[in-house]
């Protein structure tokens, strides 16, 4: 017997669109680009040859169009893994749930999902302007821990080594971090040979969780030093951002291909930042569009 999704679990608007995104299933392309800033959606879409659909609700803005014969949907998520939980679940619902019967479809649809964002570099070889493709994401947000199957899709050996290194064994105040791989085929296709293939930490905030101290002291003032020094099987943590772990983790559980590409706009080692990055990121956007 097919699973049926009650109205309280899958909220559908009166026009037949999914609750937060206001997206109809037929408006979702198989290729999806996620950006944080709603203002970046038209920046991506300006490269499209044609546009067929546009909708906006809260921080969620969507445009579907065509780029060099490829149908692509670009969606803004806002900031944080909590918003990714909304976006990924509603995109998957559009792809794999029949909104009329409220039942899971027999034939599953797999999406190609690439998040394009900005990040902070954590190594000397990731200065401002570097493009980083996240081969692995370490989730400080704890989101995936609420879903069954997280252990089956996570790199538990890497996870355990990181927890030991940070001194978090037995620390019940820290959300248990999870380590998830991006889709290997998508990484090879999009990252090419001109992006740093890195390990990215997705943080639950911009300040304390990323080791920034303003008026409130940090629980562990040496957190970033430990993170920068961590090495496992020849891999080091390359950058901080705030969404990639949830994108990779939920996609893996749902059967979609996903990865994150970020441009470094601040290097935490050097203490430098470039707030005027908006023109530079268009190069990354065009690279992803060509390779998706």
């Amino acid at each position: 017997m097919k699973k049926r999704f009650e109205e309280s679990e899958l909220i559908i608007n009166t026009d037949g669109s999914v609750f937060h995104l206001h997206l109809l299933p037929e408006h979702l392309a198989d290729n999806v680009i996620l950006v944080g800033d709603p203002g970046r959606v038209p920046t991506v879409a300006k490269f499209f040859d044609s546009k067929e659909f546009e909708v906006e609700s809260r921080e969620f803005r969507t445009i579907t169009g065509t780029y060099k014969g490829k149908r692509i949907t670009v969606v803004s998520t806002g900031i944080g893994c909590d918003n990714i939980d909304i976006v990924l679940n509603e995109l998957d619902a559009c792809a794999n749930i029949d909104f009329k019967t409220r039942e899971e479809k027999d034939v599953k649809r797999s999406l190609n999902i690439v998040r394009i964002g900005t990040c902070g570099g954590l190594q000397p070889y990731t200065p401002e302007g570097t493009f980083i493709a996240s081969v692995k994401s370490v989730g400080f947000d704890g989101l995936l821990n609420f879903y069954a199957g997280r252990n089956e899709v996570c790199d538990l050996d890497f996870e355990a080594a990181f927890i030991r290194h940070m001194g978090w064994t037995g620390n019940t105040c820290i959300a248990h971090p999870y380590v998830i791989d991006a889709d290997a085929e998508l990484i090879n296709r999009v990252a090419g040979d001109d992006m740093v293939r890195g390990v990215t930490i997705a943080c639950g905030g911009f300040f304390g969780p990323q080791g920034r101290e303003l008026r409130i002291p940090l629980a562990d003032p040496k957190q970033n030093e430990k993170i920068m020094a961590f090495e496992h099987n020849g891999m080091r943590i390359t950058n901080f951002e705030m969404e990639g772990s949830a994108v990779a983790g939920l996609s893996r559980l749902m059967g979609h291909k996903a990865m994150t590409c970020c441009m470094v706009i601040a290097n935490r080692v050097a203490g430098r930042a470039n707030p005027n990055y908006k023109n530079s990121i268009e190069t990354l956007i065009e690279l992803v569009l060509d390779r998706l």
Side-chain angles (χ1 to χ4, degrees), residues 119-132 196-199 236-240 263-270 272:
C119 67
L122 292 174
Q123 299 295 341
Y125 55 86
T126 58
E128 305 96 300
T130 304
F131 296 162
I132 299 178
V196 171
R197 301 189 182 202
V199 180
R236 288 185 176 275
I237 308 295
T238 51
N239 57 319
F240 278 145
M263 185 179 79
V264 177
I265 64 168
N267 187 275
R268 304 299 298 281
V269 180
R272 293 194 304 263

Side-chain angles (χ1 to χ4, degrees), residues 31 47-50 65-72 289 292:
N31 297 305
F47 292 100
F48 290 178
D49 303 312
S50 62
T66 303
Y67 176 81
K68 295 183 179 180
K70 294 178 286 192
R71 190 168 182 251
I72 295 174
L289 286 171
L292 185 59

